[in-house]
Amino acid sequence: MSDESLLKVSGLSVSFPTGRGLLRAVRGISYELGPGETLGIVGESGSGKSVSSFALMGLLKPSAVIEGEGLFEGRDLLTMSRRDLETIRGRDIAMIFQDPLSSLDPCFTISRHLVEALQAHRTIPRAEAEKEAEEMLRAAGIRNASQVMRQYPFELSGGMRQRVMIAIALLSKPRLLIADEPTTALDVTVQDQILRLLKKLRDLNGTSMIFITHNFGIVARLCDRVMVMYGGRIVERASVRQIFEEPVHPYTRALLAAIPRMDDDKSVPLPAISGQPYDPHSEDAGCPFRERCPRAFERCGEMPPETAVGDGHSAACWLAGKEAPREQ
C-alpha cells in the first residue's frame, strides 16, 4: 500500500503541558490509508483517537507539542504553513464533528454556512454556489432543502444538523473525510440513516474515510480495516473480519466481550474491564493496559512491539500468537 497511500502517518506523538507535567495523549502511532479505503479507529475516551486526527488537521491549541510526520499525497500536514493547510482543509480533507450544534454558527443561516464553505475554495458566483449547496443538502437526505437553506442551526433537529455538516464536508468533494464520532449524540434510527448516507456518498465519490468511534457495530457496517487504540498507542490493527473473528490483544477482546448480544442471558451482567483507565501523564515505559489485563506478567513492564499474527493483522502484546504463561 505504501506507494499508493493517500495518507501516511509515521511516529505521530501529541503532548500537552499541564500542571502535572506533559500529558501524552498520543504516543508514536503510525498507519497508512489507501484511496477509497475506510479505516475505523476504536477505543475508549482518552485513548488518543480524536487528538491524533485533530493534530493532522491543525486544530489543536498552539501549546500542543506535536512530533512525527503526516504525509497527505506526499506533503507533510504537520510542517506546512497555516495558509497551505487552510487550502487543503475543507477542499482535500474534510472533517465531521461529534456535536454539529457547536460546529455551526447560530447567527448564520444554513445557506451562509454552505455558500461560504464553497466560496472559500472556489471562485464561484453566489447564485451558483447557493444552487450547488441546495443540491448537496438534497444529496445529504434533506428533502425540503430550499426551506432549510433559510433556517438557522438551532431551528433544526440533531439529525438534520448532522446532515448539514455532512453536506458542508462533501461540498468540495474531498479526497479524505474524517468523521469524529458523528452519530454519538443521535438516536438509533437517525444514526442508521446517517451511516447509510455516509456509505452511499463515500461509494459514489470514492472518498477515503477515517471513522473515529467507540462503537464496534459502526465499524462492522462501514469500515475496511480497524485500529484499536489504548493509552495513546495502537494496540491492535486488522481487517474488520479479523478483529471480530480473531481478536488478539486482551483490550480488544475485553471491548468485544462487553458488546451485548441478542442471545445473551439477560440475567447475567455484561463483563466490565476492571481497574482504572491509563493515566496519560504516566512516564511508565511498559504496556499501558497491563494494570487492567488478566494475562499480564513480568515482561509487560516493557512496551511490546507490534507482532504480526496474520496477513495485515498485528498486535502490541508479548503474548500475541502465544499462550499465556502459567502462574508461578
Side-chain angles (χ1 to χ4, degrees), residues 102-151:
S102 63
S103 304
L104 297 169
D105 193 317
C107 299
F108 293 171
T109 63
I110 300 304
S111 172
R112 182 167 176 181
H113 281 91
L114 286 145
V115 169
E116 288 193 355
L118 195 54
Q119 291 183 322
H121 300 288
R122 286 169 52 189
T123 303
I124 180 174
R126 184 172 185 85
E128 187 177 337
E130 288 181 346
K131 182 180 178 181
E132 286 194 27
E134 191 171 321
E135 289 174 354
M136 182 55 74
L137 284 179
R138 290 195 183 93
I142 298 178
R143 296 178 182 177
N144 54 335
S146 58
Q147 177 185 335
V148 170
M149 287 279 283
R150 299 191 297 270
Q151 292 182 291

Side-chain angles (χ1 to χ4, degrees), residues 138-213:
R138 290 195 183 93
I142 298 178
R143 296 178 182 177
N144 54 335
S146 58
Q147 177 185 335
V148 170
M149 287 279 283
R150 299 191 297 270
Q151 292 182 291
Y152 291 85
F154 58 84
E155 297 180 288
L156 305 179
S157 67
M160 289 283 277
R161 287 194 293 264
Q162 197 59 284
R163 290 175 187 273
V164 169
M165 288 299 299
I166 292 171
I168 292 172
L170 297 178
L171 261 178
S172 297
K173 296 181 173 58
R175 303 284 308 282
L176 171 61
L177 178 64
I178 301 175
D180 183 20
E181 303 200 47
T183 61
T184 298
L186 306 176
D187 64 54
V188 179
T189 303
V190 177
Q191 181 181 105
D192 178 70
Q193 294 170 353
I194 295 299
L195 291 176
R196 288 175 183 271
L197 172 62
L198 284 171
K199 189 175 187 303
K200 175 185 174 182
L201 296 177
R202 178 200 64 183
D203 295 344
L204 183 65
N205 299 320
T207 306
S208 297
M209 188 183 301
I210 294 175
F211 206 102
I212 299 167
T213 184

